[in-house]
Each structure stands twice: as C-alpha cells, then as structure tokens.
Amino acid sequence: MARVNTLDEARFVELFGPMYEHSPWVAERAFDHRPFADAAHMLRVMDHEMRRATDGEQMALIRAHPELARRAGVDPTLTDASATEQASAGLDRLTPEEFARFRALNDAYAAKFGIPFIICVRLADKERILAEMQRRLEHDPDTEIQTALDEIARIAALRQDGILRQMEDAS
C-alpha cells in the first residue's frame, strides 16, 4: 500500500479508475483521501465515493456496464476486464437456447428498469446468473438500483485485488 500512496493522481486514476466501468471519477475522488492504511481502507473509500455520488452519476455508472452475454464483437464498449469476467462465467460460450434465454431476460430487465442487469459474474456461473436475473425482475426500481451498486462494489473489490497483485508482481 505504500507504493499506492506515493502514486501521483494521474497514475492512480490510470491504475484504479478501471475498477468502476468507464467511471474513473470514483478513483479521482478517492485519491484525495490518501494515505490508505491498507487495501480494505482504499476499497471502503472508493465505495463511499460511489455511494455518495449524485443519482445521475450513479445511474451513469450503472449504465456504463455492458449487457451480459452479448455476442463477441457486438459491443465495442466492452472493456477487457468485462470480457474476461464474462468469459469466466461461460457467457462467451452459450448454446443458442441459453443465448435466447439471456436475450429475453436482458430485454425484460431493461424494459422494467432502464439499466443493464449487473452481477459479479466472477462469483457466479451462467445458471446462477439466469436465476438471479429472473428473481431480480421482481424487485422495485429503488431496490434494484441498490442491488446493482452492491454488485458493482463486488466487481470493484475483485478488480482492485487483481490490480494490486499486478503491482506486486511488477516490483
């Protein structure tokens, strides 16, 4: 963590901004809270910044996430991290029937909530993801927004761990 605390703002945001999909503003705001005692402290600060953001900023962050199980090459905004994470859950290798089910649930979810379905795919498999999509369609919009932010926090924690491991390996 000593190395993280010595980074200048540009490098900190370059490294940790991708923890939050296309939303480096979370890392930019967290930077001012250094020094971080440890990785958990840094993650708590980033989570706090995400949750204290305006409703508009939170919705932009949620909407920055890709739709799950889109066919490869269809979504030019898909980050390398998202592509790797979706592949880890097998979402890049769906049968036509599974793809059709994802498509139908994604469409129903987007129609109801106006946001993409977000789940930490690295902590799930495609069956669990489909079950969660179905279950969460029963949520009201406010509950689902909070659930999406909770899932973004899980994604960010795993991404942070990966970034810190890469920094450690590089030293």
Side-chain angles (χ1 to χ4, degrees), residues 100-138:
R101 187 157 178 231
F102 268 100
R103 173 88 268 129
L105 287 168
N106 274 325
D107 289 349
Y109 186 92
K112 180 170 182 178
F113 299 114
I115 59 175
F117 176 81
I118 300 173
I119 189 168
C120 184
V121 296
R122 285 172 54 190
L123 300 177
D125 59 21
K126 59 187 168 185
E127 290 78 20
R128 178 169 178 268
I129 295 166
L130 286 166
E132 279 296 294
M133 290 175 88
Q134 188 68 51
R135 184 186 72 78
R136 286 170 47 189
L137 275 168
E138 301 304 316

Side-chain angles (χ1 to χ4, degrees), residues 56-128:
E57 290 168 327
Q58 288 178 348
M59 290 303 289
L61 169 61
I62 291 168
R63 287 186 176 120
H65 283 75
E67 179 181 280
L68 294 180
R70 272 201 161 172
R71 286 289 190 215
V74 174
D75 187 354
T77 66
L78 191 67
T79 64
D80 289 343
S82 286
T84 299
E85 290 160 356
Q86 288 197 34
S88 76
L91 300 184
D92 60 337
R93 299 175 305 278
L94 298 174
T95 66
E97 295 78 19
E98 290 168 331
F99 181 72
R101 187 157 178 231
F102 268 100
R103 173 88 268 129
L105 287 168
N106 274 325
D107 289 349
Y109 186 92
K112 180 170 182 178
F113 299 114
I115 59 175
F117 176 81
I118 300 173
I119 189 168
C120 184
V121 296
R122 285 172 54 190
L123 300 177
D125 59 21
K126 59 187 168 185
E127 290 78 20
R128 178 169 178 268

Side-chain angles (χ1 to χ4, degrees), residues 4-170:
V4 170
N5 286 326
T6 63
L7 296 172
D8 65 28
E9 184 174 8
R11 183 68 176 141
F12 180 85
V13 172
E14 177 187 346
L15 286 171
F16 296 101
M19 288 172 53
Y20 297 85
E21 199 82 9
H22 298 291
S23 302
W25 58 265
V26 179
E28 289 167 0
R29 292 176 188 175
F31 179 81
D32 293 333
H33 297 278
R34 292 173 321 128
F36 303 114
D38 54 28
H41 176 226
M42 185 175 103
L43 191 60
R44 281 192 308 275
V45 168
M46 291 184 127
D47 187 69
H48 174 76
E49 291 300 329
M50 174 187 72
R51 292 179 191 275
R52 72 187 276 280
T54 66
D55 291 347
E57 290 168 327
Q58 288 178 348
M59 290 303 289
L61 169 61
I62 291 168
R63 287 186 176 120
H65 283 75
E67 179 181 280
L68 294 180
R70 272 201 161 172
R71 286 289 190 215
V74 174
D75 187 354
T77 66
L78 191 67
T79 64
D80 289 343
S82 286
T84 299
E85 290 160 356
Q86 288 197 34
S88 76
L91 300 184
D92 60 337
R93 299 175 305 278
L94 298 174
T95 66
E97 295 78 19
E98 290 168 331
F99 181 72
R101 187 157 178 231
F102 268 100
R103 173 88 268 129
L105 287 168
N106 274 325
D107 289 349
Y109 186 92
K112 180 170 182 178
F113 299 114
I115 59 175
F117 176 81
I118 300 173
I119 189 168
C120 184
V121 296
R122 285 172 54 190
L123 300 177
D125 59 21
K126 59 187 168 185
E127 290 78 20
R128 178 169 178 268
I129 295 166
L130 286 166
E132 279 296 294
M133 290 175 88
Q134 188 68 51
R135 184 186 72 78
R136 286 170 47 189
L137 275 168
E138 301 304 316
H139 282 173
D140 63 84
D142 289 339
T143 300
E144 193 52 29
I145 288 168
Q146 290 311 307
T147 302
L149 292 173
D150 292 345
E151 292 296 323
I152 289 169
R154 287 182 185 89
I155 294 164
L158 292 172
R159 288 180 179 180
Q160 179 201 43
D161 183 58
I163 295 164
L164 291 173
R165 272 190 276 114
Q166 285 180 337
M167 287 180 72
E168 193 174 288
D169 291 347

